[in-house]
Amino acid sequence: MKLYQKFINPYMKQYLKSVMIAIFFAVLTMLTSALLTFTSGYLISKASLKPETILLLYVPIVGVRTFGISRAVFQYIERLTSHNAVLKILSTMRVQLYEMIEPQALFIHNRFKTGDLLGTLADDIEHLQDVYIRTVFPTISAIVVFFITNVTLAFFDWKFAIFIALCLGIIVFVYPLLSLYMLKTRQTEQKSWHVKLYESLTDTLFGIKDWMISGKKEQFIQQFLNAQSAKNQIDRSIAFWNQTRTLHLQLLSGIIMISMAIWASIMVQSGEFAPSYIAAFTLVTLPIAEGLLPVSHAVERIPSYKEALIRLDRIERFSSNGQKRSDISSKIPLKNITIELNQLTYRYQNQQENAVNNISLRIQQGQRLAILGKSGAGKSTLIQLLQGSLLPTSGTVSIAGFAPEHFGDSIYDIISVLNQKPYLFATTVENNIRLGNEHASREKIEEIVKQVGLAHYIQSLPNGLDTQMEETGQRFSGGERQRIALARILLKNTPIVVLDEPTIGLDPLTESKLMDTIFDVLKDKTIIWITHHLIQIEKMDHIIFLDHGELTMQGTHDELMRTNKRYQQLFQLDRGKAHV
């Protein structure tokens, strides 16, 4: 119930006017439909009695036309207002969901399963429209019509009105609660299997190569078919109950109609009604029952909304925690940040070996650290632990005394990353650089362009800084793209910069010049350099080598050259490649 108060009630209050208008016209639609049937029954009966003049049929004929047109108009207005209100609600919910997810982009893989997130984005928000369209609006409208019907009938015969109230009460209250009880577990299981199929889909898309290479595609197909079969079985059981319930309610509606016909006949015999009202009162039960029958289906859907609300609540809780934690960065002196790793260990799910194993390290402000190791050695995992996008299996990471995840999205104010392929957008050069600090002046951007060695090149462009870049910056060379990304980092002015193999794919001369520029403009910052190449490695203050997640050697360049034969071989081999 708390979840409904948290995610449903606020929108009901925000758009209460639109909701009330939709319910009002829904009630009018059902009432005009009932009056149309009542008037039609009376008109047919009256016409069959061969009245002395056609004028006696004029009023019911006008009534039939009026109620027929009114029903269509009211129904159109009801659909228009209800869907307009729901679309406004969904729009607000989608915007809020984006605002909750966007700051957590760095932590998504750690906090949420991809299938879970896909289920929320593709299904949950859309599914919650049913709370209003298929549950709230029909239920409230039916209850209003239920009371209007019984109050109106009580004016003619209060004893019979009580009997009809009991019969209609079975439709409006008993069967909906029974449906809720019968289908509560099945609805939850159905939603759960729906999410599992999403997860299975995303796991397959991301791991399709592994499935193919391992020769286990049949195993996946069988798992998927088993999940689909389980969901289909639940769907069938729910459909069977719905059909059974519909049969029961239709039989009850028939009983009500027959009872109404008998009561109307008795009223005619007693002289209370004219004979032409028998068909009118008998037929009016049909649209009333038709308007009340959907309540069972509306109420039974309540458990199916729970899973969607739980996932939304989970996303919001992470977002709220991140928002609270982001204030930490404002309390940290950015000029003196120490990074400490203490017996840091991390193991991915379903893996037998640690990706990072028992690493202890201390990085002072302004220190330059190089991380060497072959692919899969744990270098990228170590950086993700440092950013807080992964949480340690054991051990700790601290930045200025705080765990990285405590910073939330403000970790970007502490750490910048220059990776292999920085993303550049199809906008101007200035706007791509300004991503580092949207409030930076044009003069500051021009100053940084000079620092990264792009001033001459930018001046040669048709419109200088206002030159449009193609998507991903394709019109620029690899070295130029890296320098633009470096300018963005300088504008951001974070105390820690991670270089994730930024020179991959560059020729040796461009690579050397770029590294000279990087070390020059980042001279006062902490640099963590992930690399396979040892070009300019001697400029680093400390070097560590990772192998299968373990720290196998560390020291300065001079120390390792004197004492470690493996490092000597790597250095000479790399130098040999550089001269090829």
Side-chain angles (χ1 to χ4, degrees):
M1 185 59 67
K2 291 182 179 179
L3 292 177
Y4 287 94
Q5 293 175 352
K6 185 176 182 180
F7 291 103
I8 303 300
N9 291 358
Y11 298 106
M12 290 284 289
K13 294 178 181 178
Q14 184 178 356
Y15 297 100
L16 181 61
K17 183 178 179 181
S18 298
V19 170
M20 293 304 296
I21 291 174
I23 293 173
F24 174 73
F25 280 103
V27 171
L28 285 182
T29 300
M30 285 191 278
L31 291 179
T32 50
S33 180
L35 290 172
L36 172 64
T37 308
F38 182 90
T39 308
S40 299
Y42 175 82
L43 177 61
I44 294 171
S45 299
K46 193 68 173 177
S48 66
L49 296 176
K50 298 181 179 179
E52 298 176 358
T53 173
I54 193 65
L55 293 176
L56 295 176
L57 300 179
Y58 182 74
V59 172
I61 290 174
V62 172
V64 169
R65 290 180 177 178
T66 301
F67 294 132
I69 295 172
S70 298
R71 182 184 65 170
V73 172
F74 291 152
Q75 186 176 39
Y76 175 78
I77 296 175
E78 181 269 326
R79 294 292 173 85
L80 184 65
T81 53
S82 63
H83 283 73
N84 181 56
V86 169
L87 289 175
K88 285 181 179 179
I89 292 172
L90 293 184
S91 176
T92 304
M93 292 183 73
R94 288 192 178 100
V95 170
Q96 291 182 348
L97 177 63
Y98 174 80
E99 290 175 348
M100 287 190 288
I101 293 176
E102 188 271 336
Q104 305 181 67
L106 182 64
F107 317 104
I108 279 178
H109 293 297
N110 179 51
R111 294 177 175 176
F112 313 108
K113 292 182 179 180
T114 306
D116 237 11
L117 201 58
L118 178 62
T120 302
L121 293 171
D123 189 50
D124 288 345
I125 297 295
E126 195 71 21
H127 186 54
L128 289 179
Q129 73 174 338
D130 294 343
V131 174
Y132 305 95
I133 293 178
R134 298 187 180 181
T135 299
V136 174
F137 296 160
T139 302
I140 295 177
S141 303
I143 292 174
V144 172
V145 171
F146 169 79
F147 282 107
I148 291 175
T149 300
N150 287 285
V151 169
T152 303
L153 190 58
F155 280 107
F156 298 98
D157 187 343
W158 65 270
K159 293 181 180 179
F160 184 69
I162 293 176
F163 171 75
I164 293 298
L166 292 175
C167 293
L168 293 179
I170 295 175
I171 298 176
V172 177
F173 301 107
V174 176
Y175 262 85
L177 293 177
L178 182 62
S179 297
L180 182 63
Y181 174 77
M182 295 287 291
L183 297 183
K184 183 176 182 180
T185 302
R186 294 174 188 172
Q187 292 273 15
T188 303
E189 290 178 352
Q190 183 188 49
K191 186 66 177 176
S192 176
W193 278 112
H194 200 77
V195 173
K196 287 180 180 179
L197 289 174
Y198 268 122
E199 292 177 0
S200 179
L201 172 63
T202 53
D203 289 345
T204 302
L205 291 176
F206 291 133
I208 191 167
K209 291 183 179 179
D210 295 334
W211 285 107
M212 299 297 291
I213 292 172
S214 62
K216 294 182 178 181
K217 63 179 183 179
E218 290 81 8
Q219 178 183 343
F220 158 72
I221 293 173
Q222 190 58 47
Q223 289 176 352
F224 185 84
L225 291 176
N226 290 341
Q228 185 68 52
S229 176
K231 181 179 178 297
N232 289 342
Q233 186 174 355
I234 295 173
D235 291 343
R236 285 193 294 269
S237 65
I238 293 175
F240 177 77
W241 164 252
N242 286 334
Q243 292 171 359
T244 304
R245 181 192 61 211
T246 300
L247 176 61
H248 294 168
L249 294 178
Q250 292 288 0
L251 291 174
L252 181 58
S253 298
I255 292 172
I256 294 173
M257 185 174 66
I258 293 172
S259 301
M260 185 68 76
I262 294 173
W263 171 79
S265 299
I266 294 174
M267 295 294 283
V268 169
Q269 290 177 358
S270 64
E272 297 290 335
F273 291 157
S276 54
Y277 282 102
I278 295 177
F281 276 98
T282 302
L283 293 177
V284 80
T285 58
L286 294 177
I288 292 175
E290 184 181 354
L292 303 183
L293 289 179
V295 176
S296 293
H297 184 64
V299 173
E300 76 177 18
R301 299 176 64 86
I302 291 176
S304 69
Y305 307 135
K306 186 177 180 180
E307 288 293 323
L309 294 174
I310 288 175
R311 278 202 295 273
L312 283 173
D313 183 57
R314 182 166 176 255
I315 292 173
E316 186 183 58
R317 281 189 287 107
F318 274 119
S319 176
S320 299
N321 291 341
Q323 190 67 32
K324 293 176 182 177
R325 294 166 177 169
S326 64
D327 295 334
I328 295 175
S329 62
S330 62
K331 303 176 182 179
I332 295 176
L334 300 183
K335 295 182 179 180
N336 186 20
I337 292 182
T338 300
I339 301 172
E340 293 190 32
L341 313 180
N342 184 25
Q343 297 181 336
L344 183 63
T345 299
Y346 182 80
R347 178 182 296 179
Y348 289 98
Q349 289 185 351
N350 303 321
Q351 297 294 320
Q352 296 181 348
E353 297 183 358
N354 295 328
V356 172
N357 189 36
N358 198 32
I359 293 180
S360 296
L361 195 63
R362 182 181 176 87
I363 308 171
Q364 298 285 356
Q365 175 66 45
Q367 187 177 5
R368 296 177 177 180
L369 173 70
I371 304 177
L372 308 179
K374 61 184 180 181
S375 297
K379 304 187 300 296
S380 297
T381 301
L382 185 62
I383 296 303
Q384 291 181 64
L385 288 164
L386 182 63
Q387 292 178 298
S389 56
L390 295 177
L391 300 179
T393 303
S394 63
T396 60
V397 182
S398 70
I399 300 176
F402 296 95
E405 63 270 18
H406 286 177
F407 290 91
D409 60 313
S410 69
I411 191 70
Y412 299 117
D413 297 328
I414 307 296
I415 301 175
S416 295
V417 179
L418 180 61
N419 53 29
Q420 301 171 18
K421 295 181 179 180
Y423 196 90
L424 302 177
F425 296 88
T427 182
T428 64
V429 176
E430 180 182 351
N431 286 340
N432 271 283
I433 297 175
R434 192 181 292 278
L435 286 173
N437 182 359
E438 61 184 56
H439 303 295
S441 64
R442 176 85 171 206
E443 291 75 16
K444 183 64 176 178
I445 293 175
E446 290 174 349
E447 178 186 339
I448 285 177
V449 166
K450 291 179 182 178
Q451 292 181 31
V452 299
L454 277 177
H456 180 72
Y457 177 75
I458 295 297
Q459 290 173 2
S460 69
L461 295 174
N463 298 309
L465 284 172
D466 296 322
T467 301
Q468 289 287 326
M469 302 182 70
E470 296 179 8
E471 194 73 30
T472 71
Q474 293 178 3
R475 69 178 293 171
F476 292 83
S477 68
E480 290 160 354
R481 288 198 295 268
Q482 293 290 21
R483 289 177 185 272
I484 291 174
L486 179 60
R488 184 188 295 170
I489 288 174
L490 287 178
L491 202 62
K492 183 72 172 175
N493 195 29
T494 59
I496 302 171
V497 178
V498 175
L499 307 176
D500 188 2
E501 302 187 77
T503 59
I504 288 291
L506 302 181
D507 63 86
L509 181 60
T510 303
E511 178 181 17
S512 181
K513 289 182 178 180
L514 177 61
M515 293 309 302
D516 283 335
T517 302
I518 289 174
F519 289 139
D520 181 51
V521 299
L522 300 179
K523 57 186 177 182
D524 297 326
K525 301 185 182 298
T526 301
I527 298 176
I528 301 175
W529 181 24
I530 299 175
T531 182
H532 287 98
H533 293 180
L534 276 63
I535 292 178
Q536 301 196 21
I537 196 72
E538 60 272 12
K539 292 184 178 180
M540 306 306 291
D541 299 320
H542 197 72
I543 301 167
I544 64 174
F545 192 93
L546 294 181
D547 191 8
H548 292 94
E550 295 186 352
L551 192 58
T552 57
M553 63 179 175
Q554 62 176 316
T556 65
H557 171 71
D558 293 337
E559 289 172 350
L560 294 174
M561 286 296 291
R562 289 196 309 268
T563 61
N564 195 296
K565 291 184 178 180
R566 183 180 183 185
Y567 181 79
Q568 294 171 9
Q569 292 173 352
L570 289 172
F571 186 77
Q572 295 302 326
L573 181 62
D574 193 80
R575 279 292 187 271
K577 287 183 177 180
H579 292 291
V580 172

